[in-house]
Amino acid sequence: ELIELLPPSHRMLLLHVLRLLHTAAAQVATTKMSAKALAIVMTPNMLRAQNPIYVQNYTVMVQHMIEAYSELIA
């Protein structure tokens, strides 16, 4: 529901990035990058944390969005 609150261009970009990350995570045997690893790498580029203590929470949120991509677009 929160994704629907984003402006259309931001929502489209987010969904495209999540699709790419979901596809890479699904090929973990080849890419060696799980959803968690991808979230760790991508979260600082996707979300700016005012306080470093929130980075871990944001990373978990991005990991969940990568793993639940199919449900997000449904």
Side-chain angles (χ1 to χ4, degrees):
E1 293 176 6
L2 291 175
I3 291 175
E4 294 300 319
L5 298 175
L6 293 171
S9 59
H10 294 131
R11 183 173 50 247
M12 285 177 44
L13 178 59
L14 176 62
L15 291 176
H16 283 296
V17 169
L18 290 175
R19 182 181 64 202
L20 173 67
L21 296 173
H22 180 77
T23 301
Q27 302 295 322
V28 70
T30 303
T31 65
K32 308 293 189 226
M33 294 292 284
S34 65
K36 182 177 181 176
L38 290 165
I40 289 169
V41 171
M42 293 301 296
T43 297
N45 297 298
M46 294 172 69
L47 299 166
R48 301 278 186 245
Q50 297 295 331
N51 188 333
I53 200 164
Y54 297 123
V55 173
Q56 184 177 6
N57 293 339
Y58 290 170
T59 301
V60 170
M61 181 179 64
V62 171
Q63 178 184 348
H64 178 71
M65 288 191 298
I66 293 169
E67 293 169 344
Y69 171 75
S70 300
E71 297 165 24
L72 293 175
I73 60 168

